[in-house]
Amino acid sequence: MSIRMDQLSWVEYERRVREESPVVFLPCGATEQHGPHLPLGTDALLASALCEEVAAQVGGLVAPALSYGYKSQPKCGGGNHFCGTTSLDGQTLIALVRDAVREFARHGVTRLVLVDGHYENQWFVTEGIELAMRDLGPATRLEVMRLEHWDFCTEQTLAEVFPDGFPGFALEHAALIETSLMLHYLPHLVRLELIPDDAPADFPPYDMYPSRTAWVPPSGVLSSARGSTAQKGARMARDIGQGIAAAVRKEFGL
Amino acid sequence: MSIRMDQLSWVEYERRVREESPVVFLPCGATEQHGPHLPLGTDALLASALCEEVAAQVGGLVAPALSYGYKSQPKCGGGNHFCGTTSLDGQTLIALVRDAVREFARHGVTRLVLVDGHYENQWFVTEGIELAMRDLGPATRLEVMRLEHWDFCTEQTLAEVFPDGFPGFALEHAALIETSLMLHYLPHLVRLELIPDDAPADFPPYDMYPSRTAWVPPSGVLSSARGSTAQKGARMARDIGQGIAAAVRKEFGL
Amino acid sequence: MSIRMDQLSWVEYERRVREESPVVFLPCGATEQHGPHLPLGTDALLASALCEEVAAQVGGLVAPALSYGYKSQPKCGGGNHFCGTTSLDGQTLIALVRDAVREFARHGVTRLVLVDGHYENQWFVTEGIELAMRDLGPATRLEVMRLEHWDFCTEQTLAEVFPDGFPGFALEHAALIETSLMLHYLPHLVRLELIPDDAPADFPPYDMYPSRTAWVPPSGVLSSARGSTAQKGARMARDIGQGIAAAVRKEFGL
Amino acid sequence: MSIRMDQLSWVEYERRVREESPVVFLPCGATEQHGPHLPLGTDALLASALCEEVAAQVGGLVAPALSYGYKSQPKCGGGNHFCGTTSLDGQTLIALVRDAVREFARHGVTRLVLVDGHYENQWFVTEGIELAMRDLGPATRLEVMRLEHWDFCTEQTLAEVFPDGFPGFALEHAALIETSLMLHYLPHLVRLELIPDDAPADFPPYDMYPSRTAWVPPSGVLSSARGSTAQKGARMARDIGQGIAAAVRKEFGL
Amino acid sequence: MSIRMDQLSWVEYERRVREESPVVFLPCGATEQHGPHLPLGTDALLASALCEEVAAQVGGLVAPALSYGYKSQPKCGGGNHFCGTTSLDGQTLIALVRDAVREFARHGVTRLVLVDGHYENQWFVTEGIELAMRDLGPATRLEVMRLEHWDFCTEQTLAEVFPDGFPGFALEHAALIETSLMLHYLPHLVRLELIPDDAPADFPPYDMYPSRTAWVPPSGVLSSARGSTAQKGARMARDIGQGIAAAVRKEFGL
Amino acid sequence: MSIRMDQLSWVEYERRVREESPVVFLPCGATEQHGPHLPLGTDALLASALCEEVAAQVGGLVAPALSYGYKSQPKCGGGNHFCGTTSLDGQTLIALVRDAVREFARHGVTRLVLVDGHYENQWFVTEGIELAMRDLGPATRLEVMRLEHWDFCTEQTLAEVFPDGFPGFALEHAALIETSLMLHYLPHLVRLELIPDDAPADFPPYDMYPSRTAWVPPSGVLSSARGSTAQKGARMARDIGQGIAAAVRKEFGL
């Protein structure tokens, strides 16, 4: 039986929720430029793939991804001026998350994990959960985990994948981690030959509005994607998958 | 090259938008009970499939679907009390559509089609477009088409598919049209053996709140899905695909 | 004693609510073009008149009408480009209905009927009720009925009033039904001599934004009002009045 | 021809707006307890009556009243705990006014007067106008006047009507001014025999939440309505009518 | 130990809230022109100073002031066209107050006083409290007092301070009361030599939008500040301080 | 003359804005637990002190701080369950920032710097600026810088201040950086003797809702504040002050 909620009938879904209290995973993505070599859907595609991997490990279900996310910012996503980047206002994303969380609680779901694949989403997803929990009140049985998937890469893996030093997750936009993960999960959507030669972005410790688009490499790639391999992607996917699964087991008492 | 926007890089997408002014299709679905024989994602899956079909005909692109829709109502979707139905507040859906439409306009898209696959979405999608157009102002080059896909079934087809008389689109929830279309597009997600024997729902000309759940067949199927076939689905899909393609060509001058 | 809430003192109103649990009717109208022969207030005026008629039958009360409604759409109201049409954003109407329903619940009203006289209002009125019911919580004693009044015309009446076939309620804007009802209730506001000769509107199965105003007859009348008579209006008013009264008695156990 | 906008066809309304630039009056009322002797609709009824009187003098039009207003407060309306008082959230009233003002501007109206008959509405009506004017931008030709009608009673009239000293407008809820005006305009809705003997309310210079309902006379009448006469009402109506008409002529250059 | 909440640690604050149920004062100010002789922060500075004075008398605490307020209006604050006046939308101020009140309730505060120093804030502060109280529900132990501080000047003081007659609080913007209070509390921020010679403003009984800025003296001072002295300020501060303290003791049973 | 906007008259402020185009600094703080040794106002107090320092260097002005911020989170502020922490909903903070930015633009300010002193504020401040810039439109002359002040500590300073390794800014809540900065700026508000002995918090790479309060040291101090000195504070203040001043000069062409 499918682990994708959208492929289950309500009868199957209800039975599983009632009998098994499965962990439900909600991938939070974006439609955002990811350089010339990765597709616009990268964040939602990766978050969904990782959710399916973990759900398979812990007997969970994966809800349909949120395919649009908060406005891309220059220093972590290249900025919202790129063509193709399709972003929501903060309040819209907050409401979307709030509504979804409330509905899973109504279903009787008690274990919900929001897996964020788009750096800019973090605080609006957080506020959406906060508002839903307030609406549900202290008596709710629902517990929610929220995470950015890349935070589960182990230090050892990062040290090996970045032998010259890890540039930090913010700059890892359309760069080595995402490209390797895509090569692992969805290689047909990666065009390695188009990885640009742009030097890594070098951002100051502040933001400017209107965006200083000149700060961002024209390709939209914030640090080098060169050296990306499916093997590195597999290693990181294993880290992330095992890490989230372990976290889920620990926190939800599985 | 893919017609799915989420599989294109921003470079490819931008090139196409600038050079070809393609029609962009945005499927508007839901996560909603569709009886024991159809999956929760039916509305988004069908709207996406139809968008891809039409996009292929007119050289268009398909944006990621809106996978969550407005609250299911008893008389057209069985009601929002079903487990698995995962709905948004009206204001959330309005904002989601408004934001997306504004972003496509920013990209330079001039031809946008919102293909609704969830009856309850209609007016909130409309308001989202209205608000976006007001924000964009009278100088915008964007034109938006909005439609429910089933409205493109021809009368002749309906007459043949429903030899005993067409019960109307509202009752066609998880019933013959949707089941046949799913058999045509995604037969592995249909479980014909589970089609219920419920008599068709018989609703009065008013709604009650709190919902009178007793009005709704326990299965969530509002009229019979018996007699659904992939052939009928193919026929209706052809009607719809050709109809939308013709409308698009006419209105957008292709 | 008056059945109009705005003509009662709070002392009278409170006594009736406490002692009689009367059905309270809230007419939901609009300020919208209705052709050259009907006034801008037609929707609120008719909804109010019908509410008063039903209230008289079932011992109910009529609250002040919502005189402004959701944006007129070309295919059911001629569109929002007409001078005089004075419309609300969706969110405004939702909030207006939500607030009013919550207040009636606070009064102790347990039986509330929202009688919609403006096609475009339907889903925003629905959402307003949904939000109010959520706020009131499952323990509320309030039950709400929502309806569009024209849906209570019987098939037999429609067959006789439209001997050449009924064009459907959406096209019935400023047309035979509304004109006849106005001739029945408020004949001094109808100027029969100004009924236009426009051919009926012929709309495609989709909407366009910005509105294709050329689709709409310049008069704003979507199908012919010719043949409207007070007699036909009386017949339909009787259908509607009796139908709503019967529904109210059935659902509220009167 | 009627001066009530809801009784005009759009054709008549448009002609007048285009040819005459009439002043459009929008009465802002409430549904609120007004003691045992005045009806719940007093604020909207009086504001509408006064608007019609002024419109007749200056060749204006009267739009449908806003029949629901902001939450009644103890010190000016008795408080929102009374049965029958039916109030809106501040944001709802703001949005309602904003939407209406924007629409009148779209019609081509250049002279709009919001006549407030409910003390508590003032600042939310103001904000609604402020938001509309911001949306319309500096190029708009629309000018808006906003007023509370009682402020046009002359000092001389007040001195004669209140020989023992004027208690101030806030306490004038369901009291001598409103009762006399109702006796002038709508005497059949006044029940003089039910005017209560409550002593005038004596409020401290602060508010408490939850409301100290004990501060408010049980009748809801904040100061005495005894001595109300149609003659006094006529005198005040004349003051108000002439005062508003003069203001309108002065400000709008008529 | 400080009476300023922002100078206490959470441990000290919690101990006091739990052991003493202190009255918490929330000053509500603005950033608004106050003529050439008073600073932009006058409203927040005075409200804070008065709160500290009363808190010292009743053993209370003073929360950080709301430093931005609702849009200045010509007739009570000179209007929002002045440079330096920095105003919030109504909905923003409502939400700010609502959130703060809810949080104090969560802390266990049972006695909260909102001291408003900006005339235009009144109704939005009221609505913020109303919304918070609704969210907190009828079981809350929180009681909230709301006031404008100037309303506690006694009639005797006003008679002596304004021997030629009191022009009313609305006109008292940047005028004798505020200037004298500032001379009492913060004399180094007053530049008496810059008090303008403008004649007092003479406003009609209505407002116009866009604002008729010509109605307002160019200085922004609505009535004369001449004659302001620290002594008068001290007298009024004593009135206000004692008045609020007495009100607090009476209503909160101290 | 003061550099604090709230201490300037509008005349002085206007003159400076028109003649000097000064950089306006808006401190964004919070009211949030900062352990037993630092006051609740730490974030706003530090942000304000740093703004004043930089403003003095670059001839700027400091607007009144936003004294309330977004909900404290366990991993960077201890969580919102602490008594005294007084937080805003995300939408409230977004609106507050949006309104303020729009008003500074109206004043003619062209150089605005939002100095954030509360980690949780970041994305809501960002969205507030984004919304304001969209409202202002592409023609605005306003440029906005946004920053968290601690990001201007140089690596060399961090290496010396944290000889055992820098734990990261998120854990630096009520810890060495903030305590040292407070010892530098406002030593009378620091109670060094109360610095707790809690071990540093050790958070997993995910969040849980409802908050796992057991993750947070009972004191609310996330890593050790021991070793804090005014000297270290002075050093970091110098870094930050010089860093921001340099950034401001570079970006605003001073």
Side-chain angles (χ1 to χ4, degrees), chain F residues 3 48-58 62 184-185 237-238 241:
Chain F
I3 59 171
S48 295
L50 287 160
C51 282
E52 293 189 27
E53 184 145 326
V54 183
Q57 293 180 46
V58 300
V62 182
H184 171 61
Y185 281 118
R238 196 187 52 207

Side-chain angles (χ1 to χ4, degrees), chain A residues 89-160:
Chain A
D89 279 5
Q91 178 64 358
T92 307
L93 181 55
I94 290 169
L96 191 54
V97 170
R98 178 201 61 195
D99 291 2
V101 173
R102 282 196 304 219
E103 284 288 74
F104 288 115
R106 180 177 60 75
H107 300 166
V109 171
T110 58
R111 297 155 168 164
L112 181 65
V113 183
L114 280 79
V115 174
D116 183 18
H118 176 58
Y119 194 90
E120 287 87 340
N121 281 349
Q122 299 181 41
W123 287 89
F124 305 101
V125 169
T126 291
E127 173 69 344
I129 300 170
E130 291 268 11
L131 295 186
M133 297 309 282
R134 185 165 69 195
D135 285 349
L136 294 170
T140 184
R141 293 175 54 224
L142 178 68
E143 290 195 301
V144 183
M145 179 181 286
R146 192 198 65 78
L147 57 89
E148 278 71 48
H149 61 70
W150 48 79
D151 286 330
F152 288 81
C153 286
T154 63
E155 288 192 18
Q156 189 181 342
T157 293
L158 289 178
E160 290 182 32

Side-chain angles (χ1 to χ4, degrees), chain B residues 70-73 75-76 80 88-91 94 119-124 126-131 133-134 140 142-148 151-152 204-212 215 243 247-248 250-252, chain C residues 70-73 75-76 80 88-91 94 119-124 126-131 133-134 140 142-148 151-152 204-212 215 243 247-248 250-252:
Chain B
Y70 182 65
K71 293 162 193 159
S72 182
Q73 297 293 312
K75 290 162 72 172
C76 41
N80 217 57
L88 305 179
D89 279 4
Q91 177 64 359
I94 291 169
Y119 194 91
E120 286 88 340
N121 281 349
Q122 299 182 39
W123 287 90
F124 306 99
T126 291
E127 173 69 345
I129 299 169
E130 291 268 11
L131 295 185
M133 298 309 283
R134 184 165 71 195
T140 184
L142 178 67
E143 290 195 301
V144 183
M145 180 182 285
R146 192 198 66 77
L147 58 90
E148 279 69 49
D151 285 330
F152 288 81
Y206 53 84
D207 297 314
M208 294 298 298
Y209 305 86
S211 288
R212 297 283 161 99
W215 291 358
V248 159
K250 178 177 176 198
E251 295 298 337
F252 292 127
Chain C
Y70 182 65
K71 293 162 192 160
S72 182
Q73 296 293 311
K75 291 162 71 172
C76 41
N80 217 59
L88 305 179
D89 278 4
Q91 178 64 0
I94 291 170
Y119 193 90
E120 287 87 339
N121 282 348
Q122 299 182 38
W123 287 89
F124 305 101
T126 291
E127 174 69 345
I129 299 169
E130 291 267 12
L131 296 185
M133 297 309 282
R134 185 165 70 196
T140 185
L142 178 67
E143 290 195 300
V144 183
M145 180 181 286
R146 191 198 65 77
L147 57 91
E148 279 70 49
D151 286 329
F152 288 81
Y206 52 83
D207 297 314
M208 293 298 298
Y209 305 86
S211 288
R212 297 284 161 97
W215 292 357
V248 160
K250 178 177 176 197
E251 296 297 337
F252 293 127

Side-chain angles (χ1 to χ4, degrees), chain C residues 168-248:
Chain C
F169 289 117
L171 283 192
E172 266 302 309
H173 184 77
L176 197 141
I177 293 179
E178 291 189 317
T179 306
S180 296
L181 285 170
M182 285 294 285
L183 284 169
H184 171 61
Y185 281 118
L186 296 155
H188 64 291
L189 297 179
V190 185
R191 298 184 62 186
L192 280 179
E193 75 281 12
L194 295 179
I195 291 179
D197 285 322
D198 293 333
D202 182 21
F203 293 114
Y206 52 83
D207 297 314
M208 293 298 298
Y209 305 86
S211 288
R212 297 284 161 97
T213 55
W215 292 357
V216 180
S219 66
V221 180
L222 300 189
S223 63
S224 185
R226 296 211 176 275
S228 301
T229 66
Q231 199 176 7
K232 290 177 184 169
R235 177 167 183 160
M236 290 186 283
R238 196 187 53 206
D239 275 12
I240 297 171
Q242 291 179 348
I244 299 178
V248 160

Side-chain angles (χ1 to χ4, degrees), chain A residues 70-73 75-76 80 88-91 94 119-124 126-131 133-134 140 142-148 151-152 204-212 215 243 247-248 250-252, chain F residues 70-73 75-76 80 88-91 94 119-124 126-131 133-134 140 142-148 151-152 204-212 215 243 247-248 250-252:
Chain A
Y70 182 67
K71 292 162 192 160
S72 182
Q73 296 293 310
K75 290 162 73 171
C76 41
N80 216 59
L88 305 179
D89 279 5
Q91 178 64 358
I94 290 169
Y119 194 90
E120 287 87 340
N121 281 349
Q122 299 181 41
W123 287 89
F124 305 101
T126 291
E127 173 69 344
I129 300 170
E130 291 268 11
L131 295 186
M133 297 309 282
R134 185 165 69 195
T140 184
L142 178 68
E143 290 195 301
V144 183
M145 179 181 286
R146 192 198 65 78
L147 57 89
E148 278 71 48
D151 286 330
F152 288 81
Y206 53 83
D207 297 313
M208 294 297 298
Y209 304 87
S211 288
R212 297 284 161 98
W215 291 358
V248 160
K250 178 176 176 198
E251 296 298 337
F252 293 126
Chain F
Y70 181 67
K71 293 163 192 159
S72 182
Q73 295 293 309
K75 290 162 72 172
C76 42
N80 217 59
L88 305 180
D89 279 3
Q91 179 63 0
I94 290 169
Y119 195 90
E120 287 88 339
N121 281 349
Q122 297 182 41
W123 287 90
F124 304 100
T126 292
E127 174 69 344
I129 299 169
E130 291 268 9
L131 295 186
M133 297 309 282
R134 184 165 71 195
T140 184
L142 177 68
E143 290 195 301
V144 183
M145 181 181 286
R146 192 198 66 78
L147 57 90
E148 278 70 50
D151 285 330
F152 287 81
Y206 53 82
D207 298 314
M208 293 297 298
Y209 305 86
S211 288
R212 297 283 162 97
W215 291 358
V248 160
K250 179 177 175 198
E251 296 298 337
F252 292 127

